[in-house]
């Protein structure tokens, strides 16, 4: 089993920045993919960005150039630096880890972009 705990969400004005963190514990395994997904009210959960254990990175077109995903392998922690935030970025952000043991989700953290 894997446990994922997100932190760092909150309320921010348009154009502002936030950094989300996801701490992973349990049977992480060396080979895995971690990622951030988000779900806005009334919409399906969507991919934001993913990063592999070899640091291969993929972004959704809607966040390219504004968001940066990274991970600290020694701390089993993943980050999402979000800049130039827009009201459309408002959503619950979920941490995800996929490995040979399964597909795991955190509980989510709310990000609200509003003036």
């Amino acid at each position: 089993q894997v446990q994922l705990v997100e932190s760092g969400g909150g309320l921010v004005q348009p154009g502002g920045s936030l950094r989300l963190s996801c701490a992973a514990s349990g049977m992480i395994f060396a080979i895995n993919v971690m990622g951030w997904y988000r779900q806005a009210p009334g919409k399906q959960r969507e991919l934001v960005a993913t990063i592999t254990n070899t640091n291969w990175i993929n972004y959704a077109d809607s966040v390219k150039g504004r968001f940066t995903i990274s991970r600290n392998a020694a701390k089993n922690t993943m980050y999402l630096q979000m800049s130039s935030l827009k009201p459309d970025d408002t959503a619950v952000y979920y941490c995800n880890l996929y490995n040979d043991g399964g597909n795991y989700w955190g509980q989510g953290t709310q990000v609200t972009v509003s003036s």
Side-chain angles (χ1 to χ4, degrees), residues 22-90:
C22 173
S25 61
M27 299 179 68
I28 297 169
F29 299 155
I31 299 174
N32 58 73
V33 180
M34 294 189 74
W36 291 97
Y37 293 74
R38 66 187 182 187
Q39 187 167 17
K43 295 187 177 181
Q44 290 188 332
R45 191 172 297 187
E46 64 177 8
L47 168 74
V48 175
T50 58
I51 183 168
T52 70
N53 56 288
T54 57
N55 287 322
W56 188 88
I57 291 172
N58 180 52
Y59 292 104
D61 287 344
S62 59
V63 306
K64 281 181 181 177
R66 300 188 300 121
F67 291 10
T68 302
I69 190 172
S70 62
R71 62 191 292 175
N72 183 322
K75 296 183 178 181
N76 288 328
T77 302
M78 176 179 64
Y79 306 96
L80 185 68
Q81 178 67 47
M82 304 185 292
S83 302
S84 301
L85 282 161
K86 307 173 182 179
D88 284 350
D89 295 317
T90 295

